[in-house]
Amino acid sequence: MGEPPRHSNTDDPEPRPDLRPPPAVPGWVKVSGIVALVLALLIAIVLLTGIGGPHGPARHEPSGDGAPSSAAGMHTVTGRVESPLAAGPTG
Amino acid sequence: MTLRRRVRKLILIVHLTVSVGWIGAVGAYIPFDITAATSQDSETLRTAYIAMALIASNVLVPLALATVSTGLVISLGTRWGLLQHYWVLISFLLTVAATVVLWLQTTGAISYFAAVATDPTTSAADVQTLGNTLGHSLGGTVVLLMILVLNVYKPSGLTRYGWRKQHEQRDPRTRTDAARSGR
């Protein structure tokens, strides 16, 4: 990783208080910001209006009785899942 | 505080390893997500959901957290800083956002899918209606690639804070009186 670019003014050898205004926000930052804002608004609209259906695990629950046909509705909050392959032989 | 060259290089190696590794791990995750979206076979779906959970919780989340932490260290420990250049700041914000979404997905939908899939009493129909996280995994990939592009190209652009910092370093007279009196 190289060093950050030096923004020195080679025509001005003596350092003196810089009275220039701070640099403007670069164009690519403005464009990126607008794109991000539009995406955020779209996501907010989808979430608030429910166009895409419920968001979160609830959207993946089976229809009908609204729950899997087992007591497996609990999911781990730590994100850790034990693989059934790790289970030892039964019996 | 600027890190010593050797320490900086070491942290950079770790940062590159975990951040690029994160992209690779998402590449391993997506085929299972596609399987979850397209397969109709309940046994295949169970396998896919379990694999998704294992990859997400054991690989993706640790890599994401390591990326954020090493990125913080390397930005604060070099002259780039965290807030001085737009590309660094935006990369950091995008990385944090991707990590948060990943964490929420892992502890939410992905964990739920796996819990249902590993339950032997769950019917095939229940497994088939679970769904997928393809939108998040593909969107996350796009975000990670954007961060990669920013980090390679490093587009120019100093924030106001960065501009002020660099001028203070170049011209001691622009420093505050409080700082000068400490010399």
Side-chain angles (χ1 to χ4, degrees):
Chain A
M1 185 192 265
E3 293 297 327
R6 297 261 178 207
H7 297 272
S8 60
N9 185 347
T10 55
D11 295 327
D12 187 7
E14 290 187 0
R16 59 185 180 190
D18 198 322
L19 301 177
R20 290 174 296 173
V25 177
W28 69 269
V29 175
K30 291 180 186 173
V31 171
S32 304
I34 291 170
V35 170
L37 193 61
V38 168
L39 284 174
L41 281 173
L42 285 173
I43 291 170
I45 289 170
V46 167
L47 290 176
L48 290 173
T49 59
I51 291 175
H55 204 72
R59 76 183 302 171
H60 305 290
E61 287 178 4
S63 56
D65 54 0
S69 56
S70 70
M74 296 193 314
H75 57 269
T76 60
V77 293
T78 60
R80 290 238 166 229
V81 177
E82 290 188 2
S83 168
L85 299 176
T90 57
Chain B
M1 183 197 76
T2 307
L3 296 169
R4 292 188 178 184
R5 191 164 177 259
R6 281 189 184 176
V7 175
R8 192 175 74 238
K9 297 274 186 193
L10 177 63
I11 296 174
L12 180 61
I13 287 170
V14 175
H15 180 65
L16 287 173
T17 302
V18 296
S19 55
V20 177
W22 184 2
I23 297 174
V26 173
Y29 176 92
I30 285 177
F32 292 109
D33 212 352
I34 292 174
T35 301
T38 57
S39 177
Q40 295 299 314
D41 178 59
S42 62
E43 289 309 308
T44 303
L45 285 170
R46 287 182 192 269
T47 306
Y49 289 131
I50 292 167
M52 285 163 63
L54 287 171
I55 294 174
S57 60
N58 295 310
V59 182
L60 290 175
V61 170
L63 286 177
L65 294 174
T67 300
V68 171
S69 50
T70 54
L72 256 181
V73 171
I74 206 165
S75 64
L76 294 173
T78 63
R79 286 193 214 170
W80 286 105
L82 182 63
L83 305 174
Q84 298 184 40
H85 297 266
Y86 278 110
W87 74 265
V88 178
L89 180 60
I90 292 173
S91 294
F92 177 71
L93 292 175
L94 287 176
T95 306
V96 169
T99 302
V100 168
V101 172
L102 172 63
W103 173 262
L104 291 174
Q105 282 291 294
T106 301
T107 55
I110 298 172
S111 188
Y112 174 74
F113 294 162
V116 172
T118 51
D119 186 352
T121 63
T122 305
S123 69
D126 288 341
V127 174
Q128 286 162 355
T129 55
L130 280 177
N132 59 82
T133 61
L134 208 49
H136 287 96
S137 55
L138 292 176
T141 303
V142 170
V143 169
L144 293 181
L145 291 176
M146 284 166 53
I147 298 169
L148 177 65
V149 169
L150 277 177
N151 277 261
V152 170
Y153 282 95
K154 298 182 175 60
S156 62
L158 274 176
T159 62
R160 283 189 172 230
Y161 172 77
W163 176 85
R164 207 165 49 237
K165 200 95 169 120
Q166 291 206 351
H167 279 71
E168 282 173 5
Q169 287 169 1
R170 267 192 275 136
D171 185 358
R173 285 178 289 176
T174 61
R175 289 186 188 145
T176 61
D177 289 336
R180 277 188 228 130
S181 64
R183 292 180 160 268

